[in-house]
Amino acid sequence: MTVTAARGTTSPPAPARKQGGGGRRRAWATRAPLLPALVFLIAVTQLPFVATLVISLFDWNSLKPEKRHFTGLSNYASVFTDEALRESVVTTVVLTASVVIVSVVLGLLFALLLDRAFFGRGFVRTLLITPFLLVPVSAALLWKHALYNPEYGLFNGALTWFGEMFGIESIAQPEWTSQMPLIAIEASLVWQWTPFMMLILLAGLQSRPAEIMEAARLDGAGPWQMFRYLTLPHLRRYLELGVLLGSVYIVQNFDAVFTITSGGLGTANLPYTVYETFYRAHEYGLASAAGVVVVIGTIVIATFALRTVSSLFREEASRA
Amino acid sequence: MPHPGRRRRPRVRGRAGAATAALALLATGCAGAGGTSFGGGDALNVLMVNNPQMVELQKLTAEHFTEETGIKVHFTVLPENDVRDKISQDFSNQAGQYDVATISNFELPFFAENGWLHPLDGYAKADTAFDQEDILQPLRESLTAEDGRLYAQPFYGESSFLMYRKDVFEEQGLTMPDKPTWQQVAKLAERTDGAERGMKGICLRGLPGWGEVIAPLTTVVNTMGGTWFTEDWEPRLTAPEFKKATRFYVDLVRKHGELGAPQSGYAECLNNMTQGKTAMWYDATAGAGSLEAKGSPVKGKIGYVPAPVEQTRSSGWLYTWAWGLQKASTKADDAWRFVSWASGKEYEELVGATSGWSNVPAGKRASTYTNPDYRAEAGAFADVTRRAISEADPKNPGTQPRPTAGIQFVGIPEFTDLGTRVAQEISAAIAGRQSVDAALAASQKLAEKVAEEYR
C-alpha cells in the first residue's frame, strides 16, 4: 500500500480581501446560492431543539392539558433527583464504555488479521462487515429470539448438541437474558459495532508508511516491537476516532434495550428512559428536559470527536 | 405550542433522544406508517391501532362501506404506543384532524371527563338496526363515563381465562376443575411440569409493561384480596394480600413457568402454547382464536376454563378497543355511520364470510355467540369467553371498594407509567435479581407519589 497523502500545496482558501465594494459583492455572490441550504438546515435542526428547550420549562402532561404551566427549571431538578433517571445515566455510561472498549479491541484484532494478504480476503472482509449493515432493530430481534431464547435459541441448542456429543444428560440451559441482561445487550451491540471499528482501524493500518516499516524490519525489529513502537502510535488517532464516534452512536442506542429486555432488569438507558417518560408517562416537559441533558452530554463527547477528526486531517496534510 | 405542520416522524436511531422527543412533539402532522391523508373535506379520518382485526377492517372498508354510503374513509394505522400518544395529542388540542379513533376502556373515563369525546347515546338510541342492547353489559358500562353517557362503541372485547392441554391432562390422569382456584392450578402446574420433553407447567407473562405482566398479576392480586389503592388513595402494594399474591405469581412462574419468563409477554406465551412448550396458559381470551386457527399444531387439543379465583366469584379482566368520536369533529353523522357499520352485526357476518369466523372481532355482542356459523368455528371457547366478559365487573373487581373502575389496571392516566415501573421491579423479582419484598417496597414508593396527587 502506498501512501496516498495529498501531494502539492494545500493552502487554505484566501479570505476575501478588502478591495472596495466589488470584492465584498463578489464574496456575497459566491455565498448567496448557499443561503437557502443554510436557512433550511437551521429550520430543520435548530428550531425543533429550541422548541424542546421551551417545552422543557413547562410542567406538561398531555393527558391533563388544562394543567399545563410554566415551571422554570424544576423539570431539570427532577431529572437529576429521579432515581430511575439517575440509574439510567449509570447504565448508559456502563453500556457505552464496555461496548466501545470491547469492540475496539476486537476490531483491532480483525483489522490486523485483514491487513495481511491472503486468498479470499475481500470475501472475508465483506462477511465481517455484514453485521454493521443490519438494521439495528432486526439485529436485536435476531439476538433475542434466534440466539438467546432458552427454549429454541441457538446458544442453548448448541449446548444441548455439545452435551449429546459427550453424553452429558442434562447440560445447563442458561436463561441468558435473565441472568445477565446487560451483558446480553452489550454482546449484541459489540457484534454490530466491531465491524465499524475494524473498518476505521484497517484504514489506519493501510496508511502506515511502508518504507518505515521496511526499514524497521531490516533493522531487526520483531513483530511485537514493530506493533508496539510503530503501529500503535500511528493508530492512536484512528483509535481515538473509533472510540469517540462509537460512543456518540452507542450512547443513543435504543433498539437493543427496547427489543431484548424492554428496559427491564436494570437495562434502561437514557434514550429508553426518555422514550418511557414521553410515551408512557406523557410527561412532555420532563421528557424534553431529559432529552436536553442527553444532547448536552452528547455534544461534549462529539466536541472531542470533531477535534480528533480535524487533528487527523492536519496530520495528513503535514505529512504531505 | 405544537402546531399541526407536516414533519417527518423522527427515527429513534441516529438522533439523540432529545431530538426524538422534540420532533415527536412537533410531529402532530404526518406520521410514518400509514401516513396521514388530508383527503378532501368529505372524507372521514380514522386513527387506529395496528392489530390484525383493524387491518382487516381497512381492507374491507372501500368495497363494503364506501360503496354503499359514498363516505370515503382515510385510515392512519400505528402501533399501540404511538397510537395512544397521537390520539392524546390530537384529542387534547381538539385539533379535529381525526374524526374517529380507537380508544380503550382504560382511557375512556379521563378522555370523557376532559370533554374530548362526542356522546353517542343519541345515535345509539335512534339507530335501531345497530341494536345497542345486543352489546354485552360490562362493555357498555365500561364505555360509559361518570356522567352516565355512552362515549364509545366496542370493536371487540376480551377477558382472560385459563387454557390447558386436554390431551396432556388425560395422559397424566389429571382433571381440570370447572372453576379452578389458583392453589389448584399451582398443583396442576407442578404435576404437568415436564409431562412431555421440554414442556413446562404454565406460561405466565413476565415481560415489563403495564399491559404485559401487570395485567395477569393484578387479576391474581384482586382475587387474593389485594388492591393497588384503597378507596381513599392509600397505596397497598406492601399489604399482606398484595405480597401474598405477588409471591404466589413469582414463585409459580419461577418453579413451573416458561424459561426466559422476564422477557415473555403475550406473544411469547402464545408461541410456547402453540409449540407445545407449556401445559397451561393464563392469558387473554383473544389467544384462543390463534390457538384454534387453521394450521395450529394444538388445534382441538385445548380446553378452556374461567380465570382461576381465590376470594372473588370471578377474576377475568376486561379490555376493549372501541371507537371514540372526537368532539371537535364536524362530521359526527358520517362518523357514526362508520362506527355503527364497523361495530355492527353485518360486519361480523362479512368477516366470517370473507376470511373465516375465527377472525371475527368478537367479544362484544350477545348475538355473536348464538350465531351457528361462529359456534361451529369457535365452539371450544365461545361460551367460556362470553361468560368471562359477562362476569367481569370493573367497578368491583376485588374484595374492597376501589377509587376508580378497572380490573387489570387502575383507571388513571398515570398508571401507564406507574404500572410499567412496577412491572420492571416485578420482572426483576421473576429473574431472581431481587426479592418480592424489595420489589414491592420500591413499587409502594412509586405508588405513593402518584397517590399524593389524588388525595
Side-chain angles (χ1 to χ4, degrees), chain B residues 215-239:
Chain B
L217 173 67
T218 303
T219 65
V220 179
V221 168
N222 286 336
T223 197
M224 291 194 177
T227 179
W228 282 72
F229 298 102
T230 62
E231 203 175 12
D232 36 25
W233 291 107
E234 288 298 329
R236 302 289 289 158
L237 281 82
T238 43

Side-chain angles (χ1 to χ4, degrees), chain B residues 322-362:
Chain B
W323 307 108
L325 263 61
Q326 183 163 186
K327 189 102 187 234
S329 166
T330 52
K331 307 177 201 121
D333 291 2
D334 286 357
W336 169 259
R337 286 186 75 176
F338 170 76
V339 169
S340 62
W341 171 75
S343 292
K345 294 175 191 173
E346 274 177 39
Y347 179 76
E348 291 187 7
E349 296 273 351
L350 175 68
V351 175
T354 51
S355 61
W357 282 93
S358 58
N359 298 321
V360 164

Side-chain angles (χ1 to χ4, degrees), chain A:
Chain A
M1 212 45 214
T2 53
V3 187
T4 52
R7 298 251 169 242
T9 54
T10 47
S11 59
R17 278 193 300 280
K18 275 198 170 172
Q19 27 171 245
R24 194 172 304 162
R25 238 204 322 276
R26 201 170 323 130
W28 272 108
T30 50
R31 283 179 206 147
L34 297 174
L35 274 182
L38 181 70
V39 171
F40 179 75
L41 191 73
I42 290 174
V44 299
T45 60
Q46 300 313 299
L47 289 181
F49 185 61
V50 171
T52 310
L53 279 175
V54 172
I55 292 163
S56 72
L57 303 176
F58 281 80
D59 183 354
W60 180 12
N61 183 312
S62 72
L63 294 171
K64 300 178 177 172
E66 73 289 347
K67 288 190 181 162
R68 186 171 72 200
H69 62 276
F70 183 81
T71 57
L73 294 174
S74 74
N75 282 328
Y76 289 91
S78 313
V79 168
F80 290 110
T81 53
D82 184 291
E83 206 175 323
L85 275 166
R86 267 212 314 268
E87 277 172 19
S88 71
V89 172
V90 176
T91 308
T92 309
V93 172
V94 171
L95 185 77
T96 310
S98 55
V99 171
V100 168
I101 290 166
V102 176
S103 2
V104 163
V105 171
L106 287 176
L108 180 61
L109 287 176
F110 283 125
L112 286 168
L113 289 174
L114 277 178
D115 194 35
R116 302 150 179 264
F118 58 89
F119 175 74
R121 182 165 74 160
F123 179 67
V124 172
R125 194 167 47 201
T126 310
L127 280 186
L128 282 172
I129 293 166
T130 313
F132 188 61
L133 304 178
L134 218 58
V135 180
V137 72
S138 55
L141 277 170
L142 177 84
W143 279 78
K144 179 180 178 175
H145 291 288
L147 304 178
Y148 287 140
N149 187 295
E151 306 260 7
Y152 51 78
L154 181 74
F155 291 161
N156 282 0
L159 281 175
T160 308
W161 175 76
F162 186 79
E164 279 167 2
M165 240 180 16
F166 291 95
I168 305 165
E169 262 305 299
S170 55
I171 196 155
Q173 295 280 288
E175 298 186 27
W176 303 93
T177 322
S178 309
Q179 284 165 7
M180 34 192 153
L182 204 56
I183 292 175
I185 289 173
E186 284 162 359
S188 79
L189 287 172
V190 163
W191 178 78
Q192 276 226 288
W193 285 92
T194 298
F196 172 81
M197 302 299 178
M198 181 194 83
L199 281 177
I200 289 182
L201 296 174
L202 192 58
L205 286 176
Q206 301 195 330
S207 70
R208 279 179 307 183
E211 54 270 31
I212 295 180
M213 302 303 285
E214 194 59 33
R217 216 187 328 267
L218 289 173
D219 288 341
W224 168 247
Q225 285 170 308
M226 290 193 20
F227 176 75
R228 170 73 189 77
Y229 294 104
L230 287 173
T231 308
L232 214 52
H234 173 77
L235 278 185
R236 203 193 108 195
R237 295 267 176 235
Y238 295 90
L239 286 166
E240 281 175 0
L241 179 69
V243 166
L244 288 164
L245 282 181
S247 307
V248 169
Y249 280 112
I250 294 162
V251 155
Q252 302 168 21
N253 179 274
F254 173 85
D255 311 66
V257 175
F258 176 79
T259 309
I260 297 176
T261 57
S262 293
L265 313 185
T267 57
N269 62 351
L270 263 172
Y272 187 82
T273 312
V274 171
Y275 162 87
E276 290 261 288
T277 312
F278 186 86
Y279 277 95
R280 292 244 167 79
H282 302 281
E283 292 286 356
Y284 289 3
L286 194 58
S288 302
V292 170
V293 172
V294 177
V295 166
I296 291 169
T298 313
I299 285 175
V300 171
I301 297 176
T303 311
F304 286 112
L306 290 171
R307 277 199 193 151
T308 311
V309 177
S310 58
S311 71
L312 254 184
F313 285 131
R314 268 204 304 280
E315 216 174 58
E316 287 281 338
S318 65
R319 267 222 311 273

Side-chain angles (χ1 to χ4, degrees), chain B residues 375-408:
Chain B
R375 295 192 68 88
E377 181 83 28
F381 55 89
D383 288 337
V384 190
T385 304
R386 191 199 154 157
R387 205 172 319 125
I389 294 173
S390 306
E391 283 179 358
D393 184 0
K395 290 204 170 61
N396 189 20
T399 56
Q400 64 286 89
R402 308 289 174 97
T404 65
I407 300 177
Q408 75 280 24

Side-chain angles (χ1 to χ4, degrees), chain B residues 161-162 182 185-186 189 200-207 212-217 219-220 245-266 268-270 272-273 278 280-283 308 317 430:
Chain B
F161 57 18
L162 184 67
W182 272 114
V185 171
K200 292 286 175 187
I202 189 164
C203 202
L204 292 168
R205 300 180 190 179
L207 185 72
E212 287 286 358
V213 61
I214 292 297
L217 173 67
T219 65
V220 179
T246 311
R247 200 167 289 136
F248 172 85
Y249 188 96
V250 171
D251 284 351
L252 182 56
V253 79
R254 278 181 65 86
K255 278 193 201 125
H256 308 296
E258 71 283 9
L259 290 170
Q263 292 83 43
S264 297
Y266 171 80
E268 285 77 11
C269 279
L270 172 62
N272 282 352
M273 192 76 186
T278 181
M280 289 183 280
W281 179 28
Y282 170 61
D283 213 305
W317 70 57
I430 291 173

